[in-house]
Amino acid sequence: MISLSAYLPQDRCHALACGISLPPRADGAVLFADISGFTPLTEMLRQALGPRRGSEALTDQINATYAALITQVNTYRGSVIGFAGDAITCWFSAADGSVAHRATACAVGMQRAMSAFTHIPLPGGGTTALALKVAVACGSARRFVVGDPEIQSLDLLAGDTLARVAVAEHHALASEILLDEATVSALGTAARIIEWRDDPDRGERFALLGSLAAAPPVSPWPALSPAALSAAMLRPWLLPAVYQRELAGQGTFLTELRPAVALFLRFTGIDYDTDPDAHTRLDAFIRAVQGVLTRYDGALLQVVIGDKGSYLCIAFGAPVAHEDDARRAVLAALALQREAIVAGGLPPLQIGISQGIMRCGAYGSVNRHTYGILGDEVNVAARLMSMAAPGGTLVSAEIHAAVASTVAFEPRPPVRIKGKADLQLTFAVGDIYQRRASRLQEPAYDLPLVGRTDEIALASQVLHQALAGYGQILGITAEAGQGKSRLVAEIIRLAYQGHVIGYGGACHATGTRSPYLVWQPIWRAIFNSDPEASLRQQIQALQERIAIWAPERAEAIPLLGPLLGLSLPESDFTQSLEPKDRQGALHALLRDCLMAAAREAQGAGGGLLIVLEDTHWIDAASDDLLIDLVRVVQELPVLIVLAYRPRDLTQPHGLRLERLPSLTQITLGGLDTAAAEHLIRAKLLQIFPAQAGAIPDTLVSRLMERTQGNPFFLEELLNYLHDRKIDPYKDGALESLALPDSLHRLILSRLDPDDWAAAGDPEGVERDWAAFFCRLAARSLPNFEFARRAYAGIG
């Protein structure tokens, strides 16, 4: 098990253990070491061993290489401040003495250690090599701690010395060590210089080191006792997901080769040497980035301060995978362009996004570790970032294909990207498509609803009470696949027979921190908001509607802006409101409007139906509004239907059922044998229309044994038989067939090798099923729709 302290720089660990602070500005030396050769090694190991075993072999090689380098850093009392792809940035404090000698001796020791990796044997025969280039610069640097400690505190190095070492690295070749003039001057005759290389842009030159005459005395970091740093002290410095896995002893399971999304973000506008507010601005910017990423469950992995702008490396799908990581990344990019630059007062950002198979996981040595993503597509995202215009976001063809239905894109001419043989298609991100919200449509299902007679009777009774003017709340709860949506569809059908006007919205896993997400389509439809009309026309229509429904609340109209997606100018009233009072004023306006809309529907002989689906993912603001509206519908012809999975008390978000008065709850379980037989008969008529006959008893019993009456599982098992051209009407047709014993196994049986490979598990040995299905559903596979439904079926 890797110690949690290995995720922090060595000097930071000792400072924490001693209860002291590191100085915000100090003199010392910066060493930048960049390894080359991992990309071709990755492909060679994949071809020789397959993706899974190849990934394991690659991890061993990466860790062995970093262990050799970081041993040298520790030997000369340096600290690895950060990782950037295949490189590390190290700091040697002048307070520890002979800083130029220690940093240069470390560089020499690193190059010596790399000789062990110049002839790496390959499993299929032959060898390959890794190489290293190192740059060293001496001077002062600023040390920043930025970020929200509830998410992650980040230890950063900045300033001209860091910029200088980055320039030196650009002039270095493999196996070379380049020193800046300050380092050469401090070394004096101890350094033998081969040649000088000029950088015309900065007007500086850098020396190619030939040899170092004498190394300084070795003074490695003393070992810290296990009790010196508690888990609580280290928690703010690690990503929450990484912290939890390491604390549980599951750190080795963090590393795998799988699909993920890389987002690179370039930012400028902070002078780290002369701006007295540099720390404050950078911290505000990073906290804003973390806030956006928290909403979309992305992870900020690296912050790299460079000579020509700085960049962030962000991952979606690592360490936590979702079925829609590409969508999350693009939505996060749009939010970052709007929110993060304002927080730090920065110029427009450049963003690049790519998706593909990446090595996702922890790497380094037992003394210094990090969590990151490596691979060809990570490099592509970085290249796209560099090509993006300020304020723009460029994405790869894979990202475009995954998100094109919800986000507008502008195709760009194909470009040549380093590491790719063919020209690559790129797309500039526009904005989210705005579609006019409409009233709730009656869903269409091919098969009848079976086995829910009692539930339909209860729902019908609740509906009639609502239409009589006694507003009702109906909750439908069940595990995934048991038919919540199917029962909701039946309730909608019954409601529309009673001239009810219906509105609906759905919560999303990505929206637990997006205020009023589930209510947005509902209120847009209630107010008949038309996104294709001009803003002036939309405001006028809204004012006219409020003048009829709630004239005394007209001053609060600007508060509807976020809910309707409109930029409404503030009124004197709303400008005077404290943040805590804005919600109250908004809810009062919405309560009055709902009451007026319900009375209009009642006057026409009907009522209102409001359906909120997947409310186990409801955001806190939406839940608060639900509670407020429930209080006013009790004497109105309104039925509010909520669909949700059984409550998970460990979730910080979600529907708070105890706050809903007079809730009628329907809990769905598996179908009984008679209902299952009815569903089986209807499904067989659908997929075997030319055949008919008595259904063998053994078919019903075997399917019930496998599915326990889960309707989704039942339907998919019958599809499974159809795909294999098995006639279920024939006696004994299933005797020689081993039916999948779980939904997981059923899905695996319907995938081909290409599906496995695209999901990052070509050998079919995955055990983390939820993560596997997330990855599978995120790919544009032949079985994509099935994977999407299957993922929904397992939750």
Side-chain angles (χ1 to χ4, degrees):
M1 176 180 172
I2 295 293
S3 169
L4 293 175
S5 62
Y7 284 91
L8 281 70
Q10 292 89 327
D11 60 353
R12 180 67 64 184
C13 288
H14 283 265
L16 288 172
C18 296
I20 62 175
S21 300
L22 294 175
R25 189 186 294 271
D27 292 331
V30 179
L31 181 152
F32 185 85
D34 188 13
I35 308 168
S36 59
F38 278 137
T39 298
L41 176 61
T42 301
E43 182 61 21
M44 293 173 187
L45 292 175
R46 189 192 70 80
Q47 291 180 355
L49 301 175
R52 181 166 294 278
R53 291 176 54 211
S55 176
E56 294 171 353
L58 176 64
T59 297
D60 293 341
Q61 188 62 67
I62 289 174
N63 288 339
T65 306
Y66 275 108
L69 301 181
I70 294 172
T71 294
Q72 297 298 318
V73 180
N74 290 335
T75 297
Y76 293 101
R77 201 176 282 235
S79 299
V80 179
I81 303 300
F83 293 72
D86 299 334
I88 53 175
T89 300
C90 309
W91 172 249
F92 297 80
S93 174
D96 295 321
S98 60
V99 64
H101 280 71
R102 287 190 294 118
T104 306
C106 177
V108 173
M110 284 180 166
Q111 291 291 14
R112 188 182 302 117
M114 285 299 295
S115 63
F117 308 107
T118 56
H119 292 86
I120 301 173
L122 296 171
T127 62
T128 188
L130 299 177
L132 180 75
K133 57 180 179 177
V134 187
V136 179
C138 288
S140 66
R142 299 190 70 174
R143 192 75 172 267
F144 295 139
V145 175
V146 299
D148 183 350
E150 294 296 319
I151 302 173
Q152 185 184 18
S153 295
L154 300 161
D155 202 331
L156 305 179
L157 203 63
D160 186 66
T161 304
L162 193 74
R164 198 160 60 250
V165 80
V167 175
E169 184 269 333
H170 294 329
H171 291 281
L173 302 177
S175 303
E176 292 184 342
I177 300 171
L178 253 60
L179 312 175
D180 76 337
E181 292 184 272
T183 304
V184 174
S185 176
L187 291 172
T189 58
R192 182 176 66 85
I193 303 304
I194 296 177
E195 66 180 36
W196 289 88
R197 296 175 185 171
D198 296 327
D199 184 86
D201 292 337
R202 288 181 61 97
E204 295 178 343
R205 60 179 188 158
F206 302 95
L208 174 61
L209 180 67
S211 62
L212 188 66
V218 173
S219 179
W221 288 105
L224 290 171
S225 70
L229 295 169
S230 67
M233 295 169 65
L234 297 171
R235 159 62 196 91
W237 301 90
L238 279 74
L239 282 169
V242 173
Y243 173 80
Q244 294 296 337
R245 296 289 286 270
E246 290 285 6
L247 199 64
Q250 299 176 329
T252 56
F253 297 104
L254 282 170
T255 302
E256 57 183 333
L257 193 68
R258 59 185 173 91
V261 175
L263 184 153
F264 273 73
L265 179 156
R266 182 175 183 269
F267 65 98
T268 59
I270 301 178
D271 187 330
Y272 300 103
D273 288 298
T274 63
D275 185 351
D277 296 325
H279 186 190
T280 301
R281 293 176 63 200
L282 181 61
D283 183 48
F285 172 67
I286 295 299
R287 286 174 182 256
V289 169
Q290 290 175 322
V292 170
L293 297 182
T294 297
R295 296 206 301 265
Y296 296 101
D297 217 0
L300 174 57
L301 302 183
Q302 297 165 353
V303 182
V304 178
I305 308 297
D307 58 317
K308 296 180 180 179
S310 306
Y311 71 84
L312 311 181
C313 175
I314 296 165
F316 294 84
V320 180
H322 311 86
E323 61 174 309
D324 59 344
D325 281 313
R327 173 179 172 274
R328 291 168 184 259
V330 172
L331 294 181
L334 291 169
L336 289 169
Q337 295 282 17
R338 293 192 304 267
E339 301 174 30
I341 61 173
V342 174
L346 304 182
L349 311 173
Q350 295 169 263
I351 297 178
I353 310 176
S354 185
Q355 180 180 37
I357 303 297
M358 303 174 190
R359 181 199 175 278
C360 307
Y363 63 95
S365 74
V366 293
N367 297 315
R368 187 68 173 94
H369 228 55
T370 192
Y371 182 90
I373 52 177
L374 300 171
D376 193 38
E377 291 300 328
V378 180
N379 299 332
V380 170
R383 303 281 193 279
L384 292 174
M385 173 192 69
S386 66
M387 292 187 289
T393 299
L394 280 183
V395 306
S396 66
E398 290 77 8
I399 295 291
H400 171 262
V403 191
S405 63
T406 56
V407 176
F409 290 93
E410 178 185 340
R412 293 295 173 84
V415 297
R416 183 75 63 186
I417 294 180
K418 184 179 178 181
K420 294 287 189 180
D422 300 324
L423 289 173
Q424 301 296 302
L425 296 176
T426 63
F427 300 83
V429 175
D431 207 342
I432 302 171
Y433 286 127
Q434 295 291 335
R435 295 184 174 88
R436 185 166 187 164
S438 60
R439 293 178 179 176
L440 191 62
Q441 300 298 311
E442 183 177 342
Y445 282 85
D446 295 329
L447 298 178
L449 178 62
V450 300
R452 305 301 188 194
T453 303
D454 293 342
E455 290 85 352
I456 293 172
L458 178 55
S460 181
Q461 177 184 341
V462 171
L463 173 62
H464 281 95
Q465 287 180 311
L467 291 179
Y470 303 99
Q472 300 290 312
I473 314 299
L474 178 62
I476 301 174
T477 182
E479 296 289 355
Q482 297 286 18
K484 293 187 299 296
S485 296
R486 184 66 184 88
L487 182 56
V488 168
E490 186 65 16
I491 293 171
I492 294 172
R493 187 186 67 81
L494 292 173
Y496 281 3
Q497 290 177 354
H499 307 291
V500 165
I501 300 172
Y503 304 98
C507 303
H508 299 281
T510 58
T512 56
R513 297 177 179 87
S514 299
Y516 301 113
L517 181 64
V518 69
W519 288 105
Q520 289 172 5
I522 294 172
W523 285 105
R524 287 173 186 159
I526 289 175
F527 288 121
N528 198 25
S529 180
D530 183 2
E532 296 184 2
S534 68
L535 178 60
R536 183 185 60 80
Q537 291 172 324
Q538 293 184 71
I539 292 175
Q540 181 179 351
L542 186 59
Q543 290 172 335
E544 291 173 354
R545 177 57 59 184
I546 299 300
I548 297 172
W549 281 353
E552 68 280 6
R553 306 285 187 189
E555 289 182 315
I557 288 178
L559 300 176
L560 294 171
L563 194 62
L564 303 179
L566 298 176
S567 298
L568 302 180
E570 295 278 349
S571 66
D572 292 340
F573 169 71
T574 58
Q575 281 184 324
S576 67
L577 293 175
E578 295 292 331
K580 60 183 178 64
D581 298 323
R582 293 177 71 89
Q583 185 187 73
L586 172 62
H587 288 196
L589 171 59
L590 295 175
R591 285 196 303 267
D592 287 357
C593 290
L594 181 65
M595 292 168 62
R599 291 190 179 108
E600 281 188 6
Q602 187 176 37
L608 296 184
L609 170 67
I610 297 176
V611 176
L612 278 61
E613 297 230 44
D614 294 325
T615 50
H616 46 279
W617 284 322
I618 197 169
D619 63 89
S622 291
D623 193 34
D624 288 340
L625 178 57
L626 172 63
I627 301 304
D628 272 359
L629 296 182
V630 163
R631 295 192 181 104
V632 302
V633 303
Q634 297 181 27
E635 296 181 0
L636 295 170
V638 178
L639 172 60
I640 299 177
V641 177
L642 313 171
Y644 47 92
R645 294 176 190 167
R647 189 179 182 193
D648 182 356
L649 296 177
T650 67
Q651 288 289 96
H653 303 284
L655 187 66
R656 287 164 281 184
L657 297 173
E658 69 276 3
R659 297 176 60 191
L660 296 175
S662 305
L663 170 71
T664 300
Q665 182 166 282
I666 296 176
T667 301
L668 300 180
L671 300 177
D672 60 26
T673 302
E677 182 175 354
H678 190 174
L679 178 61
I680 291 169
R681 189 182 305 279
K683 182 67 178 178
L684 289 177
L685 287 174
Q686 181 190 71
I687 61 178
F688 294 99
Q691 297 170 255
I695 301 175
D697 292 338
T698 55
L699 174 66
V700 177
S701 61
R702 288 202 63 185
L703 293 184
M704 282 295 291
E705 178 186 359
R706 285 290 184 264
T707 66
Q708 300 301 305
N710 184 296
F712 176 78
F713 197 1
L714 274 170
E715 287 191 51
E716 292 303 335
L717 273 180
L718 291 169
N719 287 330
Y720 170 84
L721 299 180
H722 180 265
D723 291 346
R724 280 153 181 73
K725 297 181 171 54
I726 295 173
D727 184 357
Y729 290 104
K730 292 183 179 179
D731 289 330
L734 305 185
E735 289 181 1
S736 61
L737 180 65
L739 289 176
D741 59 2
S742 69
L743 187 55
H744 308 99
R745 292 295 173 190
L746 171 61
I747 294 168
L748 303 185
S749 70
R750 296 184 64 183
L751 301 180
D752 58 36
D754 290 339
D755 295 331
W756 281 104
D761 188 25
E763 297 173 15
V765 296
E766 177 63 73
R767 292 296 177 266
D768 186 353
W769 296 114
F772 175 79
F773 291 127
C774 284
R775 299 199 300 272
L776 178 64
R779 306 293 295 171
S780 296
L781 305 175
N783 285 317
F784 170 80
E785 181 59 24
F786 173 73
R788 186 193 65 74
R789 292 184 65 210
Y791 175 73
I794 65 165

